[in-house]
Amino acid sequence: MAPVETSSPEQQEDAGKAVAATRSYWRWHKDDFFPEPSFASWGAYRRALGATPARLRDRFAARSTDAAELGALRRRSENEMRRCLTWWDLTWFGFGSVIGAGIFVLTGQEARDHAGPAIVISYVASGLSAMLSVFCYTEFAVEIPVAGGSFAYLRVELGDVAAFIAAANLILESVIGTAAVARSWTSYLASLINRPESALRIHAPSLADGYNELDPIAVVVIAVTAALAMLSSKGTSRVNWVASAVHVLVIVFVIVAGFIHANPSNLRPFMPYGVPGVFRAAAIVYFAYGGFDNIATMAEETKNPSRDIPLGLLGSMSVITAIYCVMALVLSMMQPYTAIDRSAAYSVAFSSVGMHWAQYVVALGALKGMTTVLLVGALGQARYTTHIARSHIIPPVFALVHPRTGTPVHATALIAATSACIALFSGLDVLSSLLSVSTLFIFMMMATALLVRRYYVRGVTTRAHARRFAALLLLVITSSVGIAAYWGTSPGRWQGYVVLVPAWAAGTLGIQVLVPAARAPKVWGVPLVPWLPSLSIATNLFLMGSLDKDAFFRFGVCTAIMLVYYVLVGLHATYDVAHGACAGEDDDEFAAADDDKKVAAADVEKADAADGGR
């Protein structure tokens, strides 16, 4: 029998590049969108649908590996993204991606409607929760530096189905976040030229409230920032440096001038809507912290991820949290909360103290901030989408990286076009609550995945320890859900917390004491594990419980639609790829995974036997 020739990953990569070089980047054949056998014909698709239950079971059990995400999946983009970013770029990307519509728009809206001067506490609460999530993201991004961000991390630790739920919400978050910021851009442009908030929009009385003010300017802004992001990551970074530096100067002006005209008596009453209002506002202004996860998606383009990502993520978010709290305090001291304008709070506040010219400085700074949020968002969101397409959950044509620019042009265009359609119709109040619940849900899943990564490794964790860990983790999550639900239904009562809070603490302590750690971080790790990730789960769920039922209704409808898409399309595409049935795909990822399962099963059996012997 003749020996079977095998090729190394390097040879496979060179072969893939040779094939890619002969094909145009701009291709739109059916096989570029649906190359999987399940979609080869209507008959094949009907057979695939008939196998849905078995395929769901397969996908629930499936797990990727660090090596697969870094190797096989990246090769599906045909061309490499360019490693051109440093910690300096990431730090400024942090400022550019976060400081925008949230602080300039939502601060006034939530101070007026829900928190009053206690909006400062709302920013502290949401900032602490965001920092816990930043810790989790940083450890993952250092160890799995790929463009997929939380999608890749969840695919490794929680499996394909959980990763799809994250992917669906990531794309939802990307689209809605971009639309919300673009709508705010139009509002501040109107303020800059002394026009009412909606003066630059087209009123359509035949449409429902919240969807009846058409915003073509928002569409243009999205298109321009997406075009810049397509051209060059490093070039986008340089534009972001300049714009963010100007933005920081405007923020310094707002803080200094605001304190000069501050009146401490405006802080009374400090909490006019009570504690429930403070935490409801905290859940909404969490949107202002959204965007830092875009930095994690740039790990694939970072020169030294193990050094640059912790510096860029943790450094920028620590400073941003402090800035937000101080800016919220300034606004609360400049005007009584009942006089704060819901849409252009800072501009109107400066006008009220006689600094009419300052409203133009604030409006210009806000426009610059929102522009950088859209610019950095276009980078990060496209990289999420690229890695999701690499897994074939969405058509793989969106995974392609342009050979000349080194950027994912197709993925960038997909997010931009969808965002522009939503921005044309939907108001910010409709968008922000839906965005917050989606963001909080993903961050809760990330904290869960970090605990799984630290305490469960196939081939290391015995079955007894795995069962114990699963039970304790379930206790942490269910008690956190119980705390959030009790707060949402009975905010004035305390009896339920006597049971629920100790249950959460017992679950966390049980993980620390009763389950041995299965993995240690290689370079940088979250401190105080399992307590910080467990607290992240609790705080994210608590803030979700502070949102109104309309946010959950919209979230549920969107998630249901996405699950229908998964059952009809994504499930069968990923199943075919996972089993090496997709023509032209390298299946070393899946062969390696099968080998890992066999070795792990043998190791666990030996460990269980040893436990039984003792």
Side-chain angles (χ1 to χ4, degrees):
M1 182 177 176
V4 178
E5 294 185 5
T6 60
S7 57
S8 67
E10 291 77 11
Q11 291 172 323
Q12 290 177 357
E13 185 172 355
D14 292 340
K17 288 179 178 178
V19 172
T22 64
R23 305 179 67 190
S24 169
Y25 182 81
W26 307 103
R27 51 187 192 258
W28 307 100
H29 191 269
K30 172 186 172 293
D31 288 343
D32 297 312
F33 286 85
F34 298 103
E36 303 84 11
S38 291
F39 306 106
S41 66
W42 284 109
Y45 183 57
R46 284 194 297 272
R47 288 190 295 273
L49 289 179
T52 295
R55 292 185 171 192
L56 275 174
R57 288 193 296 271
D58 177 270
R59 295 293 83 207
F60 266 109
R63 298 290 184 275
S64 183
T65 64
D66 294 13
E69 299 297 310
L70 291 166
L73 260 73
R74 284 178 60 181
R75 287 195 290 275
R76 292 175 189 159
S77 289
E78 296 186 356
N79 299 289
E80 290 285 329
M81 295 184 189
R82 293 174 184 167
R83 289 194 177 275
C84 56
L85 304 178
T86 66
W87 68 269
W88 180 256
D89 296 295
L90 296 183
T91 299
W92 283 105
F93 274 140
F95 280 98
S97 66
V98 176
I99 301 180
I103 186 64
F104 284 105
V105 177
L106 293 181
T107 307
Q109 174 183 303
E110 294 307 305
R112 177 73 177 263
D113 295 347
H114 297 123
I119 188 67
V120 178
I121 298 178
S122 300
Y123 271 107
V124 170
S126 56
L128 290 175
S129 181
M131 283 302 298
L132 292 173
S133 297
V134 167
F135 277 113
C136 298
Y137 266 90
T138 302
E139 178 171 331
F140 273 114
V142 167
E143 300 215 342
I144 313 176
V146 293
S150 53
F151 169 72
Y153 314 147
L154 293 173
R155 193 166 182 259
V156 169
E157 300 303 334
L158 301 184
D160 267 22
V161 176
F164 165 76
I165 294 172
N169 280 283
L170 283 168
I171 293 177
L172 177 68
E173 177 188 339
S174 300
V175 169
I176 291 177
T178 299
V181 175
R183 297 276 299 196
S184 297
W185 200 97
T186 304
S187 296
Y188 264 88
L189 178 61
S191 173
L192 189 63
I193 60 175
N194 276 327
R195 301 288 298 278
E197 173 192 1
S198 299
L200 301 180
R201 299 190 179 107
I202 301 170
H203 189 66
S206 60
L207 299 178
D209 288 343
Y211 305 92
N212 57 356
E213 292 185 346
L214 307 185
D215 196 336
I217 293 176
V219 175
V220 173
V221 172
I222 290 172
V224 171
T225 52
L228 287 173
M230 291 177 190
L231 294 176
S232 166
S233 297
K234 190 66 177 180
T236 303
S237 176
R238 293 191 181 103
V239 173
N240 179 64
W241 290 352
V242 176
S244 295
V246 173
H247 194 79
V248 169
L249 292 176
V250 172
I251 288 172
V252 171
F253 165 78
V254 169
I255 292 172
V256 174
F259 274 127
I260 290 173
H261 293 86
N263 183 355
S265 65
N266 289 330
L267 295 177
R268 295 189 295 269
F270 185 69
M271 203 177 291
Y273 300 100
V275 176
V278 171
F279 283 104
R280 172 136 186 226
I284 297 294
V285 301
Y286 203 96
F287 168 57
Y289 291 96
F292 72 80
D293 49 334
N294 286 323
I295 303 173
T297 69
M298 296 175 195
E300 197 169 313
E301 296 160 272
T302 303
K303 292 180 179 179
N304 187 351
S306 61
R307 181 199 65 187
D308 296 340
I309 292 173
L311 286 173
L313 257 175
L314 295 173
S316 61
M317 282 302 296
S318 299
V319 176
I320 287 166
T321 301
I323 287 173
Y324 278 1
C325 294
V326 175
M327 288 188 70
L329 179 62
V330 164
L331 180 64
S332 299
M333 294 179 71
M334 288 182 71
Q335 280 186 298
Y337 77 94
T338 53
I340 292 175
D341 186 86
R342 296 181 76 258
S343 301
Y346 289 91
S347 295
V348 173
F350 278 108
S351 293
S352 70
V353 296
M355 296 180 66
H356 300 286
W357 58 271
Q359 66 177 314
Y360 302 109
V361 177
V362 173
L364 183 61
L367 281 176
K368 284 185 175 292
M370 286 181 274
T371 302
T372 58
V373 167
L374 290 170
L375 190 59
V376 179
L379 282 177
Q381 294 151 12
R383 280 138 188 83
Y384 271 133
T385 307
T386 297
H387 203 73
I388 292 168
R390 288 168 175 171
S391 74
H392 286 233
I393 283 181
I394 62 175
V397 70
F398 295 110
L400 300 179
V401 172
H402 196 280
R404 184 176 61 81
T405 65
T407 60
V409 174
H410 289 161
T412 308
L414 174 67
I415 296 296
T418 312
S419 301
C421 291
I422 294 178
L424 183 63
F425 294 99
S426 303
L428 182 63
D429 55 344
V430 173
L431 296 172
S432 58
S433 61
L434 180 55
L435 180 65
S436 291
V437 70
S438 176
T439 303
L440 290 164
F441 177 73
I442 293 169
F443 291 170
M444 182 276 293
M445 291 182 70
M446 280 292 299
T448 302
L450 185 72
L451 287 174
V452 173
R453 185 171 182 83
R454 290 290 195 95
Y455 289 96
Y456 176 75
V457 175
R458 286 174 296 181
V460 176
T461 306
T462 66
R463 286 189 177 90
H465 286 144
R467 287 193 293 267
R468 192 178 303 161
F469 171 67
L472 292 167
L473 180 59
L474 182 62
L475 177 60
V476 168
I477 294 173
T478 54
S479 60
S480 298
V481 170
I483 292 169
Y486 192 74
W487 171 258
T489 57
S490 307
R493 304 177 64 184
W494 56 268
Q495 291 87 344
Y497 304 122
V498 175
V499 175
L500 293 168
V501 173
W504 170 83
T508 308
L509 182 63
I511 293 174
Q512 181 179 18
V513 175
L514 301 177
V515 183
R519 189 200 313 261
K522 300 182 184 73
V523 180
W524 190 95
V526 176
L528 299 177
V529 173
W531 291 97
L532 287 188
S534 181
L535 185 60
S536 182
I537 292 172
T539 55
N540 283 308
L541 287 171
F542 182 80
L543 291 175
M544 285 177 69
S546 300
L547 293 167
D548 59 27
K549 64 179 185 298
D550 289 341
F552 284 95
F553 176 75
R554 296 177 187 126
F555 176 73
V557 170
C558 291
T559 302
I561 293 171
M562 293 166 181
L563 286 172
V564 169
Y565 167 83
Y566 181 70
V567 171
L568 295 179
V569 180
L571 166 66
H572 308 292
T574 55
Y575 179 88
D576 286 346
V577 176
H579 291 274
C582 188
E585 289 287 354
D586 47 22
D587 57 357
D588 56 318
E589 167 192 358
F590 313 108
D594 288 339
D595 291 341
D596 287 345
K597 289 178 183 176
K598 293 173 184 176
V599 173
D603 290 343
V604 169
E605 286 178 5
K606 292 177 184 178
D608 286 337
D611 287 344
R614 287 193 291 272

